[in-house]
Amino acid sequence: MRFGINTLDDIDVKDKTVLCRIDINQPVDRATGTLKDTARIEACIPTLKELSEKGAKLALLAHQGSDIEYNNFWTTEPHSKVLTGLLGREVRFIDDVCGPAARGAIKALNRGEILLLDNVRFVSEEQTLFETRLLLSHEDQAKTLLVRKLAPLADLYVCDAFAASHRDQPSLCGFEQLLPSAMGRLFEEEFCVISGIMENPDRPCVFVLGGAKINDAFLMMSAVLAGGAADRVLTGGLVGEVLLWADGKDIGEPARVYIRKEGYEGLVDAAKELLAKYRDKISMPNDVAAVDNGKRAEFPLGKIPADSLILDIGTGTAKQYQQIVRSAKTVFVNGPMGVFEDPYTETGTKMVWDALGDTAAYTVIGGGDSITATKKYGKTGAISYICTGGGALIRFLTGEELPVVKALRHGSKIKQT
Ligand code: ADP
Ligand code: MG
Protein backbone atom coordinates (compact mmCIF):
# COMPACT_ATOMS: atom_id res chain seq x y z
CA MET A 1 0.00 0.00 0.00
CA ARG A 2 1.36 3.42 -0.97
CA PHE A 3 -0.52 6.73 -0.85
CA GLY A 4 -3.59 4.75 0.26
CA ILE A 5 -3.53 2.68 -2.94
CA ASN A 6 -2.73 -1.02 -3.36
CA THR A 7 0.40 -1.82 -5.35
CA LEU A 8 0.93 -5.05 -7.28
CA ASP A 9 2.46 -6.43 -4.06
CA ASP A 10 -0.93 -6.25 -2.35
CA ILE A 11 -2.99 -8.32 -4.77
CA ASP A 12 -2.96 -12.00 -5.69
CA VAL A 13 -3.39 -12.32 -9.44
CA LYS A 14 -2.65 -16.01 -10.07
CA ASP A 15 -5.43 -17.51 -12.23
CA LYS A 16 -7.42 -14.31 -11.71
CA THR A 17 -8.98 -12.31 -14.52
CA VAL A 18 -7.41 -8.86 -14.31
CA LEU A 19 -8.69 -5.83 -16.22
CA CYS A 20 -5.72 -3.54 -16.68
CA ARG A 21 -6.09 0.04 -17.96
CA ILE A 22 -2.93 1.28 -19.64
CA ASP A 23 -2.09 4.52 -21.47
CA ILE A 24 -0.52 3.62 -24.80
CA ASN A 25 -1.88 6.66 -26.61
CA GLN A 26 0.81 7.66 -29.14
CA PRO A 27 1.04 10.06 -32.06
CA VAL A 28 -0.28 8.32 -35.17
CA ASP A 29 0.85 8.83 -38.75
CA ARG A 30 -2.54 9.15 -40.39
CA ALA A 31 -1.25 8.51 -43.90
CA THR A 32 0.25 5.11 -43.09
CA GLY A 33 -1.77 4.23 -39.97
CA THR A 34 1.43 3.56 -38.03
CA LEU A 35 2.60 4.81 -34.63
CA LYS A 36 5.18 7.59 -34.65
CA ASP A 37 6.46 6.80 -31.17
CA THR A 38 6.32 3.85 -28.78
CA ALA A 39 7.64 5.38 -25.54
CA ARG A 40 4.38 5.01 -23.62
CA ILE A 41 3.95 1.43 -24.80
CA GLU A 42 7.47 0.64 -23.56
CA ALA A 43 6.73 2.28 -20.22
CA CYS A 44 3.90 -0.09 -19.30
CA ILE A 45 5.84 -3.28 -20.11
CA PRO A 46 7.10 -3.95 -16.54
CA THR A 47 3.53 -4.07 -15.20
CA LEU A 48 2.26 -6.32 -17.98
CA LYS A 49 5.26 -8.63 -17.67
CA GLU A 50 4.83 -8.94 -13.92
CA LEU A 51 1.09 -9.60 -14.10
CA SER A 52 1.48 -12.17 -16.85
CA GLU A 53 4.40 -13.91 -15.13
CA LYS A 54 2.44 -14.06 -11.90
CA GLY A 55 -0.26 -15.99 -13.77
CA ALA A 56 -2.96 -13.37 -14.36
CA LYS A 57 -5.47 -13.74 -17.19
CA LEU A 58 -4.94 -10.25 -18.49
CA ALA A 59 -7.39 -8.08 -20.47
CA LEU A 60 -6.02 -4.67 -21.42
CA LEU A 61 -8.11 -1.52 -21.81
CA ALA A 62 -6.64 1.49 -23.62
CA HIS A 63 -7.48 4.49 -25.74
CA GLN A 64 -5.86 5.96 -28.82
CA GLY A 65 -6.66 9.53 -29.76
CA SER A 66 -5.48 11.19 -32.91
CA ASP A 67 -3.72 14.38 -33.83
CA ILE A 68 -7.13 16.04 -33.50
CA GLU A 69 -7.48 15.06 -29.91
CA TYR A 70 -11.11 14.16 -29.41
CA ASN A 71 -11.88 13.04 -32.95
CA ASN A 72 -11.07 10.28 -35.39
CA PHE A 73 -10.04 7.64 -32.91
CA TRP A 74 -7.75 4.92 -34.12
CA THR A 75 -7.90 1.23 -33.41
CA THR A 76 -5.43 -0.17 -30.88
CA GLU A 77 -4.52 -3.01 -33.24
CA PRO A 78 -1.04 -1.61 -34.13
CA HIS A 79 -0.31 -1.33 -30.40
CA SER A 80 -0.89 -5.06 -29.92
CA LYS A 81 1.90 -5.78 -32.39
CA VAL A 82 4.30 -3.43 -30.60
CA LEU A 83 3.36 -4.96 -27.24
CA THR A 84 3.90 -8.46 -28.63
CA GLY A 85 7.37 -7.49 -29.83
CA LEU A 86 8.38 -5.80 -26.59
CA LEU A 87 7.03 -8.53 -24.30
CA GLY A 88 8.26 -11.43 -26.41
CA ARG A 89 4.90 -13.10 -25.98
CA GLU A 90 1.70 -12.77 -27.92
CA VAL A 91 -0.66 -9.95 -27.03
CA ARG A 92 -3.81 -10.90 -28.86
CA PHE A 93 -6.00 -8.13 -30.25
CA ILE A 94 -9.76 -8.25 -30.60
CA ASP A 95 -11.70 -5.62 -32.54
CA ASP A 96 -14.37 -5.25 -29.91
CA VAL A 97 -14.45 -3.38 -26.60
CA CYS A 98 -17.19 -4.90 -24.45
CA GLY A 99 -19.52 -6.72 -26.85
CA PRO A 100 -20.02 -10.51 -27.03
CA ALA A 101 -16.76 -11.09 -28.96
CA ALA A 102 -14.67 -9.22 -26.38
CA ARG A 103 -16.40 -10.91 -23.47
CA GLY A 104 -15.99 -14.34 -25.06
CA ALA A 105 -12.27 -13.69 -25.56
CA ILE A 106 -11.85 -12.54 -21.95
CA LYS A 107 -13.63 -15.67 -20.65
CA ALA A 108 -11.39 -17.86 -22.80
CA LEU A 109 -8.13 -16.41 -21.38
CA ASN A 110 -5.70 -18.87 -19.81
CA ARG A 111 -3.13 -18.24 -17.09
CA GLY A 112 -0.52 -15.70 -18.28
CA GLU A 113 -2.31 -14.83 -21.51
CA ILE A 114 -2.80 -11.22 -22.60
CA LEU A 115 -5.63 -9.75 -24.64
CA LEU A 116 -5.83 -6.14 -25.85
CA LEU A 117 -9.34 -4.84 -26.38
CA ASP A 118 -10.07 -2.21 -29.00
CA ASN A 119 -10.04 1.54 -28.28
CA VAL A 120 -12.28 2.23 -25.26
CA ARG A 121 -13.24 5.55 -26.84
CA PHE A 122 -15.25 3.61 -29.43
CA VAL A 123 -17.78 3.28 -26.61
CA SER A 124 -19.69 6.53 -26.56
CA GLU A 125 -19.93 6.93 -22.79
CA GLU A 126 -16.15 7.11 -22.58
CA GLN A 127 -16.11 9.99 -25.07
CA THR A 128 -19.04 12.00 -23.83
CA LEU A 129 -17.63 11.96 -20.33
CA PHE A 130 -14.57 14.06 -21.09
CA GLU A 131 -14.00 16.32 -18.15
CA THR A 132 -15.15 19.38 -20.06
CA ARG A 133 -18.55 17.92 -20.91
CA LEU A 134 -21.05 15.72 -19.17
CA LEU A 135 -19.60 14.59 -15.89
CA LEU A 136 -20.79 11.49 -14.07
CA SER A 137 -19.99 10.63 -10.49
CA HIS A 138 -17.77 7.60 -10.03
CA GLU A 139 -20.81 5.64 -8.80
CA ASP A 140 -22.63 6.47 -12.03
CA GLN A 141 -19.58 5.62 -14.12
CA ALA A 142 -19.87 2.13 -12.61
CA LYS A 143 -23.29 1.88 -14.29
CA THR A 144 -22.04 2.62 -17.82
CA LEU A 145 -22.07 -0.09 -20.46
CA LEU A 146 -18.32 -0.74 -20.41
CA VAL A 147 -18.22 -1.34 -16.66
CA ARG A 148 -21.52 -3.25 -16.51
CA LYS A 149 -20.39 -5.63 -19.25
CA LEU A 150 -16.78 -6.20 -18.20
CA ALA A 151 -16.65 -5.94 -14.41
CA PRO A 152 -18.65 -9.19 -13.85
CA LEU A 153 -15.99 -11.11 -15.82
CA ALA A 154 -13.08 -9.81 -13.76
CA ASP A 155 -11.64 -10.44 -10.30
CA LEU A 156 -9.39 -7.39 -10.15
CA TYR A 157 -8.79 -3.99 -11.72
CA VAL A 158 -5.30 -2.55 -12.18
CA CYS A 159 -4.64 0.96 -13.46
CA ASP A 160 -1.21 1.74 -14.88
CA ALA A 161 -2.37 4.76 -16.91
CA PHE A 162 -0.81 7.58 -14.90
CA ALA A 163 -0.75 9.76 -18.04
CA ALA A 164 -4.56 9.53 -18.18
CA SER A 165 -5.16 9.88 -14.44
CA HIS A 166 -6.61 13.40 -14.81
CA ARG A 167 -9.47 11.97 -16.89
CA ASP A 168 -12.77 11.27 -15.17
CA GLN A 169 -14.03 8.43 -17.37
CA PRO A 170 -15.56 4.94 -16.97
CA SER A 171 -12.48 2.95 -18.07
CA LEU A 172 -10.44 4.87 -15.49
CA CYS A 173 -12.75 5.57 -12.55
CA GLY A 174 -15.72 3.19 -12.93
CA PHE A 175 -14.26 -0.27 -12.23
CA GLU A 176 -12.80 0.76 -8.85
CA GLN A 177 -16.35 1.12 -7.55
CA LEU A 178 -16.92 -2.63 -7.99
CA LEU A 179 -13.61 -4.46 -8.13
CA PRO A 180 -10.65 -4.73 -5.76
CA SER A 181 -8.09 -2.41 -7.37
CA ALA A 182 -4.40 -1.60 -7.48
CA MET A 183 -2.02 0.69 -9.35
CA GLY A 184 0.56 -0.75 -11.73
CA ARG A 185 4.33 -0.22 -11.43
CA LEU A 186 4.50 2.75 -13.82
CA PHE A 187 1.67 4.51 -12.01
CA GLU A 188 3.41 3.87 -8.70
CA GLU A 189 6.76 5.11 -10.00
CA GLU A 190 5.44 8.34 -11.54
CA PHE A 191 3.36 9.06 -8.45
CA CYS A 192 6.41 8.57 -6.23
CA VAL A 193 8.71 10.73 -8.35
CA ILE A 194 6.42 13.72 -8.54
CA SER A 195 5.10 13.56 -5.00
CA GLY A 196 8.74 13.36 -3.91
CA ILE A 197 9.41 16.63 -5.73
CA MET A 198 6.34 18.26 -4.22
CA GLU A 199 6.93 17.09 -0.68
CA ASN A 200 10.60 16.64 -0.01
CA PRO A 201 12.96 17.64 -2.85
CA ASP A 202 16.73 17.88 -2.47
CA ARG A 203 17.46 21.60 -2.34
CA PRO A 204 17.89 23.90 -4.05
CA CYS A 205 14.91 22.77 -6.10
CA VAL A 206 14.45 24.64 -9.37
CA PHE A 207 11.41 24.63 -11.65
CA VAL A 208 12.02 25.53 -15.29
CA LEU A 209 8.70 26.59 -16.81
CA GLY A 210 8.37 27.67 -20.42
CA GLY A 211 6.34 26.77 -23.47
CA ALA A 212 2.93 27.95 -24.47
CA LYS A 213 0.49 26.60 -21.85
CA ILE A 214 0.64 29.72 -19.73
CA ASN A 215 -2.42 29.03 -17.63
CA ASP A 216 -1.08 25.65 -16.50
CA ALA A 217 2.38 27.08 -15.92
CA PHE A 218 1.01 29.85 -13.67
CA LEU A 219 -1.10 27.41 -11.67
CA MET A 220 1.93 25.15 -11.19
CA MET A 221 4.15 28.09 -10.30
CA SER A 222 1.69 29.32 -7.74
CA ALA A 223 1.29 25.84 -6.17
CA VAL A 224 4.99 24.99 -5.98
CA LEU A 225 5.93 28.41 -4.63
CA ALA A 226 3.10 28.53 -2.10
CA GLY A 227 3.76 24.94 -1.02
CA GLY A 228 7.47 25.63 -0.69
CA ALA A 229 8.63 22.94 -3.17
CA ALA A 230 10.31 25.46 -5.48
CA ASP A 231 13.28 27.51 -4.31
CA ARG A 232 13.48 29.17 -7.71
CA VAL A 233 11.44 29.25 -10.92
CA LEU A 234 13.18 29.97 -14.22
CA THR A 235 10.79 31.18 -16.90
CA GLY A 236 10.98 31.26 -20.68
CA GLY A 237 8.76 30.82 -23.72
CA LEU A 238 5.42 32.60 -23.66
CA VAL A 239 5.29 32.09 -19.89
CA GLY A 240 8.31 34.37 -19.49
CA GLU A 241 6.91 36.93 -21.93
CA VAL A 242 3.64 37.32 -20.03
CA LEU A 243 5.59 37.79 -16.79
CA LEU A 244 7.76 40.46 -18.42
CA TRP A 245 4.64 42.21 -19.70
CA ALA A 246 3.11 42.08 -16.21
CA ASP A 247 6.33 43.55 -14.85
CA GLY A 248 5.89 46.59 -17.10
CA LYS A 249 8.68 45.65 -19.54
CA ASP A 250 8.26 46.46 -23.22
CA ILE A 251 8.13 43.09 -25.00
CA GLY A 252 7.22 44.70 -28.33
CA GLU A 253 3.87 45.00 -30.06
CA PRO A 254 4.12 41.72 -32.09
CA ALA A 255 4.49 39.68 -28.87
CA ARG A 256 1.56 41.50 -27.27
CA VAL A 257 -0.54 40.90 -30.41
CA TYR A 258 0.39 37.21 -30.37
CA ILE A 259 -0.43 36.80 -26.68
CA ARG A 260 -3.77 38.57 -27.22
CA LYS A 261 -4.55 36.40 -30.24
CA GLU A 262 -3.88 33.25 -28.21
CA GLY A 263 -6.33 34.54 -25.60
CA TYR A 264 -3.72 34.98 -22.84
CA GLU A 265 -3.91 38.71 -22.19
CA GLY A 266 -6.16 38.03 -19.20
CA LEU A 267 -3.26 36.19 -17.58
CA VAL A 268 -1.20 39.35 -17.27
CA ASP A 269 -3.09 40.08 -14.04
CA ALA A 270 -2.36 36.57 -12.74
CA ALA A 271 1.30 37.21 -13.57
CA LYS A 272 1.20 40.48 -11.61
CA GLU A 273 -0.12 38.64 -8.58
CA LEU A 274 2.61 36.02 -8.84
CA LEU A 275 5.25 38.73 -9.02
CA ALA A 276 3.73 40.61 -6.09
CA LYS A 277 3.98 37.51 -3.91
CA TYR A 278 7.09 35.73 -5.14
CA ARG A 279 9.23 38.18 -7.10
CA ASP A 280 12.44 37.14 -5.34
CA LYS A 281 12.00 33.54 -6.46
CA ILE A 282 10.97 34.06 -10.09
CA SER A 283 13.61 34.56 -12.78
CA MET A 284 12.54 36.27 -16.00
CA PRO A 285 14.56 36.68 -19.21
CA ASN A 286 16.75 39.77 -19.34
CA ASP A 287 17.50 39.35 -23.00
CA VAL A 288 15.49 37.80 -25.83
CA ALA A 289 15.86 36.64 -29.42
CA ALA A 290 13.82 37.20 -32.58
CA VAL A 291 14.39 36.28 -36.21
CA ASP A 292 15.43 39.15 -38.44
CA ASN A 293 15.99 38.61 -42.18
CA GLY A 294 16.36 34.88 -41.69
CA LYS A 295 18.92 35.27 -38.87
CA ARG A 296 18.88 35.21 -35.08
CA ALA A 297 18.87 38.68 -33.56
CA GLU A 298 19.29 39.21 -29.81
CA PHE A 299 18.14 42.20 -27.80
CA PRO A 300 18.46 43.23 -24.18
CA LEU A 301 15.20 44.16 -22.46
CA GLY A 302 14.24 47.72 -23.23
CA LYS A 303 15.89 47.51 -26.68
CA ILE A 304 13.43 45.23 -28.46
CA PRO A 305 12.57 46.76 -31.86
CA ALA A 306 8.88 47.65 -32.17
CA ASP A 307 8.31 45.21 -35.05
CA SER A 308 10.24 42.13 -33.79
CA LEU A 309 8.42 39.05 -32.51
CA ILE A 310 10.18 37.41 -29.57
CA LEU A 311 10.69 33.71 -30.15
CA ASP A 312 13.38 32.68 -27.67
CA ILE A 313 15.28 33.75 -24.58
CA GLY A 314 18.66 35.37 -25.25
CA THR A 315 22.01 33.66 -24.68
CA GLY A 316 22.75 35.90 -21.67
CA THR A 317 19.62 34.64 -19.92
CA ALA A 318 20.33 31.07 -21.05
CA LYS A 319 23.82 31.25 -19.49
CA GLN A 320 22.38 32.41 -16.16
CA TYR A 321 19.80 29.63 -16.28
CA GLN A 322 22.57 27.11 -17.04
CA GLN A 323 24.43 28.13 -13.89
CA ILE A 324 21.32 27.83 -11.74
CA VAL A 325 20.47 24.40 -13.21
CA ARG A 326 24.05 23.23 -12.67
CA SER A 327 24.11 24.27 -9.02
CA ALA A 328 20.65 22.87 -8.21
CA LYS A 329 20.00 19.53 -6.50
CA THR A 330 16.57 19.00 -8.08
CA VAL A 331 15.28 20.36 -11.39
CA PHE A 332 11.78 19.95 -12.80
CA VAL A 333 11.19 21.06 -16.38
CA ASN A 334 7.99 21.68 -18.30
CA GLY A 335 7.98 23.72 -21.49
CA PRO A 336 10.80 24.82 -23.84
CA MET A 337 12.46 28.25 -23.62
CA GLY A 338 11.59 29.23 -27.19
CA VAL A 339 10.42 27.97 -30.56
CA PHE A 340 13.01 25.18 -30.46
CA GLU A 341 11.59 23.61 -33.63
CA ASP A 342 13.30 26.37 -35.66
CA PRO A 343 17.14 26.46 -35.84
CA TYR A 344 17.38 30.23 -35.21
CA THR A 345 15.22 30.12 -32.11
CA GLU A 346 16.33 26.87 -30.50
CA THR A 347 19.43 28.27 -28.78
CA GLY A 348 17.80 29.04 -25.41
CA THR A 349 16.20 25.61 -25.15
CA LYS A 350 19.35 23.85 -26.37
CA MET A 351 21.56 25.66 -23.84
CA VAL A 352 19.24 24.95 -20.90
CA TRP A 353 18.90 21.33 -22.00
CA ASP A 354 22.73 21.08 -22.22
CA ALA A 355 22.87 22.06 -18.55
CA LEU A 356 20.14 19.53 -17.74
CA GLY A 357 22.32 16.93 -19.41
CA ASP A 358 25.41 17.58 -17.28
CA THR A 359 24.06 18.84 -13.95
CA ALA A 360 24.47 16.54 -10.98
CA ALA A 361 20.91 17.41 -9.93
CA TYR A 362 18.01 14.98 -9.99
CA THR A 363 16.24 16.03 -13.19
CA VAL A 364 12.61 15.39 -14.11
CA ILE A 365 11.00 16.34 -17.41
CA GLY A 366 7.34 16.28 -18.44
CA GLY A 367 5.33 17.56 -21.40
CA GLY A 368 5.17 16.41 -25.02
CA ASP A 369 7.28 19.18 -26.53
CA SER A 370 9.80 19.12 -23.68
CA ILE A 371 10.30 15.41 -24.29
CA THR A 372 10.67 16.06 -28.02
CA ALA A 373 13.36 18.67 -27.22
CA THR A 374 15.09 16.16 -24.92
CA LYS A 375 15.27 13.66 -27.77
CA LYS A 376 16.33 16.32 -30.28
CA TYR A 377 19.33 17.30 -28.14
CA GLY A 378 20.24 13.69 -27.30
CA LYS A 379 19.65 14.14 -23.55
CA THR A 380 17.17 11.32 -22.94
CA GLY A 381 19.72 9.10 -21.21
CA ALA A 382 21.02 11.95 -19.06
CA ILE A 383 17.65 12.93 -17.54
CA SER A 384 16.87 11.21 -14.24
CA TYR A 385 13.18 10.74 -14.93
CA ILE A 386 10.97 11.41 -17.95
CA CYS A 387 7.27 11.44 -17.06
CA THR A 388 4.82 9.88 -19.50
CA GLY A 389 2.09 12.18 -18.21
CA GLY A 390 1.47 15.66 -19.64
CA GLY A 391 -1.95 16.88 -18.48
CA ALA A 392 -1.95 14.51 -15.50
CA LEU A 393 1.45 15.68 -14.34
CA ILE A 394 0.43 19.32 -14.58
CA ARG A 395 -2.81 18.69 -12.67
CA PHE A 396 -0.85 16.90 -9.97
CA LEU A 397 1.65 19.75 -9.66
CA THR A 398 -1.12 22.32 -9.37
CA GLY A 399 -2.14 20.47 -6.22
CA GLU A 400 -5.43 19.04 -7.50
CA GLU A 401 -6.54 15.53 -6.57
CA LEU A 402 -6.48 13.34 -9.66
CA PRO A 403 -9.81 11.53 -10.31
CA VAL A 404 -8.10 8.19 -10.89
CA VAL A 405 -6.15 8.49 -7.63
CA LYS A 406 -9.41 9.08 -5.80
CA ALA A 407 -11.04 6.09 -7.53
CA LEU A 408 -8.04 3.82 -6.86
CA ARG A 409 -8.15 4.72 -3.17
CA HIS A 410 -11.78 3.63 -3.19
CA GLY A 411 -11.03 0.38 -5.05
CA SER A 412 -8.12 -0.38 -2.72
CA LYS A 413 -10.59 -0.69 0.15
CA ILE A 414 -12.56 -3.44 -1.59
CA LYS A 415 -11.23 -6.75 -0.27
CA GLN A 416 -10.10 -9.45 -2.66
CA THR A 417 -11.98 -12.70 -2.17
P1 ADP B 1 5.12 20.95 -23.36
O1 ADP B 1 4.52 20.20 -24.53
O2 ADP B 1 6.53 20.55 -23.09
O3 ADP B 1 4.23 20.93 -22.15
P2 ADP B 1 4.07 23.45 -24.38
O4 ADP B 1 3.14 22.67 -25.24
O5 ADP B 1 3.51 24.26 -23.28
O6 ADP B 1 5.22 22.50 -23.81
O7 ADP B 1 4.89 24.48 -25.27
C1 ADP B 1 5.65 24.07 -26.39
C2 ADP B 1 5.44 24.98 -27.57
O8 ADP B 1 5.65 26.34 -27.21
C3 ADP B 1 6.42 24.69 -28.68
O9 ADP B 1 5.71 24.32 -29.85
C4 ADP B 1 7.18 26.01 -28.88
O10 ADP B 1 7.44 26.30 -30.23
C5 ADP B 1 6.22 27.02 -28.30
N1 ADP B 1 6.92 28.23 -27.85
C6 ADP B 1 7.96 28.31 -27.02
N2 ADP B 1 8.35 29.58 -26.84
C7 ADP B 1 7.55 30.34 -27.60
C8 ADP B 1 7.45 31.75 -27.87
N3 ADP B 1 8.28 32.61 -27.29
N4 ADP B 1 6.48 32.16 -28.72
C9 ADP B 1 5.65 31.27 -29.29
N5 ADP B 1 5.67 29.95 -29.08
C10 ADP B 1 6.62 29.48 -28.25
MG1 MG C 1 2.99 20.69 -25.91
Side-chain angles (χ1 to χ4, degrees):
M1 196 67 114
R2 277 179 120 166
F3 314 104
I5 302 174
N6 286 329
T7 71
L8 295 190
D9 297 322
D10 302 304
I11 54 173
D12 177 13
V13 300
K14 191 171 176 197
D15 291 321
K16 299 287 193 285
T17 301
V18 178
L19 290 175
C20 180
R21 175 65 157 96
I22 49 179
D23 189 335
I24 49 176
N25 184 33
Q26 298 279 208
V28 175
D29 184 336
R30 293 166 142 248
T32 59
T34 53
L35 303 176
K36 289 198 224 167
D37 191 6
T38 57
R40 277 194 180 159
I41 308 185
E42 288 160 36
C44 69
I45 292 298
T47 295
L48 304 188
K49 198 159 181 287
E50 181 172 343
L51 289 170
S52 170
E53 281 172 1
K54 284 180 170 171
K57 303 169 182 177
L58 199 52
L60 306 178
L61 295 155
H63 74 280
Q64 171 61 56
S66 78
D67 43 352
I68 310 162
E69 206 190 351
Y70 293 158
N71 287 304
N72 301 306
F73 301 111
W74 283 82
T75 170
T76 53
E77 185 170 17
H79 309 65
S80 68
K81 303 207 173 79
V82 178
L83 283 167
T84 298
L86 290 168
L87 277 163
R89 69 169 305 154
E90 194 195 358
V91 175
R92 210 185 126 205
F93 169 77
I94 187 149
D95 63 341
D96 186 20
V97 185
C98 59
R103 298 202 301 274
I106 293 173
K107 283 186 204 150
L109 281 169
N110 291 311
R111 178 190 297 174
E113 284 182 351
I114 310 175
L115 171 75
L116 175 63
L117 303 171
D118 214 340
N119 191 342
V120 288
R121 287 189 182 171
F122 290 157
V123 181
S124 68
E125 284 162 319
E126 188 82 4
Q127 291 186 40
T128 48
L129 296 181
F130 286 131
E131 69 252 54
T132 47
R133 302 192 209 160
L134 175 66
L135 207 89
L136 286 188
S137 68
H138 290 176
E139 292 76 20
D140 284 336
Q141 288 183 33
K143 295 174 194 152
T144 57
L145 185 77
L146 179 79
V147 183
R148 268 191 289 128
K149 292 292 177 187
L150 297 188
L153 309 182
D155 301 293
L156 292 157
Y157 174 80
V158 170
C159 185
D160 209 23
F162 184 80
S165 62
H166 58 308
R167 301 192 182 278
D168 216 332
Q169 293 162 5
S171 73
L172 290 151
C173 301
F175 291 103
E176 293 96 322
Q177 311 310 307
L178 305 171
L179 295 173
S181 310
M183 58 184 166
R185 296 298 181 200
L186 176 64
F187 199 111
E188 183 184 348
E189 185 178 64
E190 303 224 287
F191 202 142
C192 276
V193 166
I194 54 173
S195 36
I197 290 186
M198 285 295 269
E199 279 154 27
N200 191 21
D202 268 351
R203 295 186 188 279
C205 175
V206 174
F207 280 68
V208 182
L209 302 179
K213 295 192 295 280
I214 307 176
N215 203 11
D216 288 338
F218 283 179
L219 288 172
M220 268 193 278
M221 212 183 292
S222 174
V224 298
L225 286 167
D231 297 304
R232 174 145 298 279
V233 180
L234 308 178
T235 64
L238 283 175
V239 176
E241 288 171 37
V242 173
L243 280 161
L244 288 172
W245 185 354
D247 200 30
K249 303 291 191 302
D250 184 10
I251 56 172
E253 189 56 14
R256 285 191 296 267
V257 168
Y258 185 83
I259 290 165
R260 254 182 227 125
K261 184 177 75 79
E262 296 292 305
Y264 292 136
E265 189 176 359
L267 290 172
V268 173
D269 282 339
K272 280 184 187 157
E273 268 177 45
L274 281 168
L275 288 171
K277 278 195 195 158
Y278 308 110
R279 170 176 297 275
D280 57 327
K281 293 192 170 171
I282 298 174
S283 297
M284 291 176 273
N286 50 35
D287 61 348
V288 297
V291 179
D292 188 21
N293 285 324
K295 280 218 176 71
R296 183 180 177 91
E298 297 210 355
F299 310 101
L301 278 188
K303 297 265 168 58
I304 303 169
D307 58 350
S308 289
L309 174 62
I310 306 174
L311 294 166
D312 194 10
I313 59 171
T315 43
T317 303
K319 274 187 193 145
Q320 284 178 6
Y321 286 7
Q322 282 185 322
Q323 270 181 2
I324 295 169
V325 165
R326 287 184 174 127
S327 53
K329 290 271 172 55
T330 306
V331 186
F332 173 85
V333 187
N334 181 236
M337 296 292 99
V339 181
F340 72 98
E341 296 91 341
D342 175 340
Y344 295 116
T345 52
E346 70 169 343
T347 312
T349 306
K350 189 171 182 310
M351 285 175 71
V352 171
W353 260 243
D354 279 344
L356 288 170
D358 60 31
T359 179
Y362 180 70
T363 45
V364 178
I365 285 193
D369 292 288
S370 303
I371 294 172
T372 304
T374 307
K375 283 188 192 141
K376 183 175 180 188
Y377 304 125
K379 304 294 176 197
T380 306
I383 302 300
S384 313
Y385 197 79
I386 297 182
C387 293
T388 60
L393 175 72
I394 289 167
R395 279 272 202 102
F396 192 98
L397 289 174
T398 59
E400 261 184 68
E401 185 180 42
L402 298 165
V404 179
V405 168
K406 183 177 174 209
L408 280 170
R409 285 188 176 133
H410 186 278
S412 296
K413 291 191 197 115
I414 303 175
K415 290 277 169 285
Q416 191 180 353
T417 48

